[in-house]
Amino acid sequence: MYLWIAGTVLLIALPFYLDRFWLQAGLFAMAAAIGAIGINLLTGATGQLSMGHAFFLAVGAYSYCVLAGESGVENGHRLTGLGLPTWLSAVLAVLVAGAAGGLFSPIAGRLRGAYLGIATLALIFIGQHVLFNAGDLTGGFNGRAVPPLSLFGIDFDDSETVIAAVPFQSAEKLWYVALLALIGCGLFARGVLRGRPGRAMNAIRDHRIAAGVMGVPVARYRAGVFILSSMYAGLAGVLIALVFQRTVPEYFGVILSLEFLAMIVIGGLGTVAGAVVGAVFVSLLPQILTHYSDTLPLVSAPGTGGVAPGEASRYLYGAAIVAVVLFLPGGLTRLITSRKTPRE
């Protein structure tokens, strides 16, 4: 309990001391953690393999841009925008991602294992085709600018807001929005996993036929969890768009979906803490390697010889996946829980 309180106080205080690079890295980690919680509910707790998580992040990010943006011309594309309030656009973008998951949920409710994985992988290719070719909505290859969030009269852009003699710009202000979103999503997912739905989801994961015999509506639960996971991904997509301030189609590809699977395997399947720990590890590793590429051996900036930070990070968390599967099946969170368990 005290550890959680100390961690929360630390996260609240960090924007007063960290520079912009570390704040953006932390924001990306929190957004990734929300998306990882969603896929952990689907894959870790219910046993449904999804390769299309990046598709729903793209739905959330681009829906926000279309709903909150203004119509106009950018990079040769005439963009469509509805000009809605940004806070409302963020909420609606999450609902749109959930609706997209709902359209796919009948398939998710009936397929399992590799068959579901292949079906969700198709979403990535469909999404990439739409993102690159629907220029009026997405801006095409160059993407489109992301309208800054406005909430309670505060604009979450680079306009300066002074708090306790500390100038707060977009990264500092967005930090608290992302932190509240992560805490809310984590508590909700924890409640789901510890309640009756969580027991039903685990029963479906462990033995689908036995769960059906016990009266669990397997197809309905699978479809419902898929929608919930899509909404988590949509929220993560909105936050990532707000942090980067521009959406680019190439980002929402197969690699991103694989990274989310790596997060939950490394952190620990079926737990909220595992999703958060894995997301922090996978999302921060390439940024740390990039930041310290001048001092690390064999790692150098792209195009200058040696191993690029992005490639090095994939090697490292690929090795981490192998090590976790072989020696630590419960993920990195197993190290913490095993220390808390008294020896007999």
Side-chain angles (χ1 to χ4, degrees), residues 63-265:
S63 294
Y64 173 79
C65 292
V66 173
L67 292 168
E70 301 287 345
S71 297
V73 178
E74 183 181 340
N75 295 324
H77 293 282
R78 184 168 185 81
L79 298 178
T80 300
L82 301 182
L84 298 178
T86 53
W87 66 268
L88 178 60
S89 300
V91 174
L92 292 177
V94 175
L95 296 177
V96 170
L103 292 175
F104 192 81
S105 62
I107 299 174
R110 288 167 174 77
L111 295 179
R112 60 192 179 95
Y115 297 101
L116 179 60
I118 293 171
T120 53
L121 183 61
L123 291 174
I124 296 293
F125 297 110
I126 295 171
Q128 288 288 291
H129 178 77
V130 172
L131 294 180
F132 280 111
N133 292 281
D136 292 347
L137 295 175
T138 67
F141 181 82
N142 293 318
R144 64 182 293 171
V146 179
L149 182 67
S150 180
L151 187 63
F152 302 125
I154 301 175
D155 294 325
F156 291 79
D157 54 13
D158 282 328
S159 60
E160 194 171 280
T161 302
V162 179
I163 300 176
V166 178
F168 274 44
Q169 294 182 330
S170 62
E172 290 86 353
K173 289 181 281 190
L174 280 174
W175 180 275
Y176 296 108
V177 174
L179 182 59
L180 286 174
L182 176 58
I183 292 173
C185 290
L187 291 176
F188 181 81
R190 187 183 182 190
V192 169
L193 292 173
R194 292 192 171 188
R196 184 176 179 181
R199 292 191 293 272
M201 291 156 59
N202 291 334
I204 294 171
R205 177 196 63 196
D206 295 336
H207 204 295
R208 175 180 57 91
I209 297 176
V213 171
M214 290 187 294
V216 176
V218 176
R220 189 185 306 170
Y221 262 96
R222 281 182 168 177
V225 174
F226 197 90
I227 294 173
L228 181 60
S229 174
S230 302
M231 295 177 70
Y232 271 79
L235 178 56
V238 172
L239 288 174
I240 289 174
L242 290 171
V243 174
F244 287 157
Q245 300 179 357
R246 188 167 195 86
T247 54
V248 182
E250 187 178 358
Y251 176 74
F252 301 99
V254 177
I255 296 297
L256 183 60
S257 288
L258 294 177
E259 287 179 351
F260 273 104
L261 289 176
M263 291 174 192
I264 62 174
V265 172

